């Protein structure tokens, strides 16, 4: 049973917090709102992955959020709001941006626009950029939380920076326990892969991150999207090593090697699958929606068997496959540390 909302005790320093996990009923959601109001950190479910929330207009709260994740403060955050009206107060939406928002919000889409002059999303949360990333999540717990507060909630995925994203409350606790005040447990995130990010701050819309809404569905509205250039650092989640488990990742495998775990896809397994330390299938029927929703939980589970590497079967580069392959490629990227 969730505790009734009481006085909120929020520690501002990053030493050690008492992290509570509460089933996301109305009382727990009200308490999470109080935690945020007081400048604390609360994790909550969205339809893509779990987010680590802080109030967007409070620089010390945002600083604590960066510290909790170990996230470099040059990597800006997404501001979550209730609806398009609230988003419009944060930035300048062009006609094209509005059209896309109306089509896909609430849902797994993030829209980057030129920031308005106000500090509703503080400069630290924007990493000093003159743009702001906005998203209206559809998950009912996220919506209920946003309805309780009168500020936007900035929320990166609720994992240690660079690690696999969380799709349930336990994943959040595994990564961040002691570093946040509250985790709202709303079960597993259904979508399983982060929002698609489209940038409307320049002359032509650009795809900064593939995600929960496939490119083709977006291009039906926007026309062909320009990809973000490889050298760009405006979306560091797009770069280098990210989304990574401890084990190495080997992609598009046709055969399993010694001391490997296997992440399979579809009915046909790679050669030597029976020698794998553990096998999990993203979708036995080869369904990409099911694969996206299983991706991070399977990566975390395979990482627990301490194999040298995780062999990943080929996944088609179409529909949600583009985002799945994107995340796996980043998980496979060479790591600095
Ligand atoms: O599905 C999602 O988007 C999840 C849930 C919790 O909403 N959030 C998420 O946040 O994936 P995060 O912080 O892990 O990834 C946000 C990405 C980062 O790659 C960041 O660089 C980019 O959004 N971003 C944020 N603000 C930006 C801006 N103004 N311009 C360009 N990229 C931006
Ligand atoms: Mg992330």
């Amino acid at each position: 049973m969730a505790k009734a909302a009481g006085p909120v005790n929020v520690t501002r320093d990053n030493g050690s917090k008492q992290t509570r996990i509460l089933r996301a009923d109305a009382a727990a959601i009200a308490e999470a709102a109080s935690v945020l109001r007081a400048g604390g950190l609360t994790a909550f479910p969205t339809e893509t992955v779990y987010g680590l929330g802080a109030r967007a207009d409070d620089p010390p709260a945002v600083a604590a959020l960066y510290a909790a994740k170990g996230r470099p403060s040059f990597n800006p955050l997404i501001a979550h709001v209730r609806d398009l009206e609230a988003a419009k107060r944060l930035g300048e939406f062009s006609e094209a941006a509005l059209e896309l928002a109306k089509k896909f919000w609430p849902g797994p889409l993030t829209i980057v626009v030129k920031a308005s002059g106000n500090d509703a999303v503080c400069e630290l949360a924007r990493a000093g950029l003159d743009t702001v990333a906005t998203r209206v999540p559809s998950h009912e717990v996220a919506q209920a939380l946003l309805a309780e507060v009168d500020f936007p909630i900035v929320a990166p995925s609720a994992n240690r920076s660079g690690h696999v994203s969380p799709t349930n409350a336990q994943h959040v606790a595994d990564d961040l326990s002691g570093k946040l005040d509250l985790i709202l447990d709303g079960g597993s995130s259904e979508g399983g892969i982060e929002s698609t990010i489209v940038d409307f701050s320049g002359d032509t819309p650009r795809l900064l991150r593939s995600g929960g809404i496939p490119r083709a569905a977006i291009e039906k509205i926007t026309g062909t999207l320009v990809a973000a250039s490889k050298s760009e650092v405006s979306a560091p989640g797009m770069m280098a090593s990210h989304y990574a488990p401890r084990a190495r990742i080997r992609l598009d495998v046709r055969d399993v090697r010694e001391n490997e775990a296997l992440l399979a896809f579809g009915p046909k397994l790679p050669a030597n699958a029976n020698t794998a330390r553990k096998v999990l299938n993203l979708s036995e029927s080869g369904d990409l929606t099911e694969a996206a929703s299983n991706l991070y939980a399977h990566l975390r589970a395979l990482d627990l068997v301490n194999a040298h590497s995780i062999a990943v079967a080929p996944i088609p580069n179409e529909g949600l496959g583009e985002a799945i392959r994107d995340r796996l490629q980043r998980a496979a990227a060479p790591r600095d540390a």
Side-chain angles (χ1 to χ4, degrees):
M1 277 287 288
K3 263 182 50 195
V8 178
N9 192 1
V10 164
T11 357
R12 282 244 187 197
D13 82 74
N14 292 303
S16 185
K17 287 170 179 275
Q18 193 97 55
T19 303
R20 290 170 307 144
I21 305 184
L22 297 181
R23 190 169 55 81
D25 58 15
I29 290 168
E31 185 155 353
S34 310
V35 165
L36 292 174
R37 248 177 248 121
L41 303 178
T42 188
F44 61 96
T46 83
E47 69 279 16
T48 57
V49 300
Y50 272 63
L52 176 62
R55 61 184 299 168
D57 60 353
D58 184 355
V62 174
L65 187 156
Y66 278 106
K69 270 196 69 128
R71 178 177 177 119
S73 57
F74 59 75
N75 189 355
L77 305 171
I78 297 172
H80 297 67
V81 287
R82 276 183 87 168
D83 53 24
L84 176 55
E85 285 314 302
K88 281 181 0 196
R89 290 194 280 275
L90 306 183
E92 298 160 22
F93 282 71
S94 61
E95 280 306 315
L98 283 178
E99 200 183 341
L100 199 65
K102 284 178 187 154
K103 172 84 181 158
F104 292 111
W105 277 352
L109 169 71
T110 293
I111 294 181
V112 174
V113 292
K114 279 255 176 281
S116 345
N118 62 48
D119 277 331
V121 181
C122 67
E123 200 174 1
L124 181 60
R126 289 184 280 109
L129 299 175
D130 60 1
T131 56
V132 61
T134 59
R135 162 157 137 77
V136 178
S138 63
H139 195 289
E140 59 173 15
V141 172
Q143 273 290 333
L145 183 60
L146 287 164
E148 296 251 354
V149 298
D150 58 3
F151 43 77
I153 300 174
V154 281
S157 50
N159 51 276
R160 274 185 287 114
S161 184
H163 192 223
V164 181
S165 300
T167 55
N168 64 41
Q170 189 57 51
H171 293 161
V172 178
D174 289 347
D175 268 32
L176 297 177
S177 216
K179 297 189 166 156
L180 75 172
D181 299 286
L182 193 63
I183 302 172
L184 283 178
D185 184 351
S188 290
S189 290
E190 233 177 77
I193 203 145
E194 293 85 347
S195 59
T196 304
I197 306 181
V198 184
D199 180 1
F200 284 94
S201 67
D203 295 338
T204 42
R206 297 181 317 146
L207 181 68
L208 294 189
R209 179 174 76 184
S210 55
I213 297 176
R215 171 201 290 271
I218 290 182
E219 290 186 332
K220 260 195 202 155
I221 314 270
T222 59
T224 305
L225 286 168
V226 181
S229 70
K230 283 259 184 271
S231 61
E232 196 160 22
V233 288
S234 65
M238 294 285 295
M239 303 281 301
S241 175
H242 217 85
Y243 312 103
R246 183 202 53 78
R248 304 278 132 179
I249 300 274
R250 206 160 64 81
L251 297 175
D252 294 316
V253 303
R254 307 271 165 207
D255 62 325
V256 175
R257 296 181 189 159
E258 203 179 314
N259 197 9
E260 280 193 324
L262 171 63
L263 186 61
F265 175 78
K268 195 172 165 291
L269 297 182
N272 305 321
N274 59 326
T275 66
R277 309 249 321 233
K278 184 179 175 90
V279 182
L280 288 174
N281 202 321
L282 288 170
S283 168
E284 281 180 18
S285 65
D287 177 65
L288 288 166
T289 303
E290 185 184 12
S293 88
N294 285 329
L295 177 66
Y296 293 133
H298 280 9
L299 279 175
R300 281 177 182 258
L302 289 177
D303 212 19
L304 293 178
V305 302
N306 288 322
H308 169 266
S309 48
I310 298 173
V312 183
I315 292 161
N317 192 24
E318 64 197 33
L320 284 177
E322 184 178 355
I324 296 171
R325 291 186 62 87
D326 169 80
R327 302 304 188 273
L328 286 165
Q329 272 155 10
R330 290 173 209 291
R335 300 166 198 175
D336 299 335

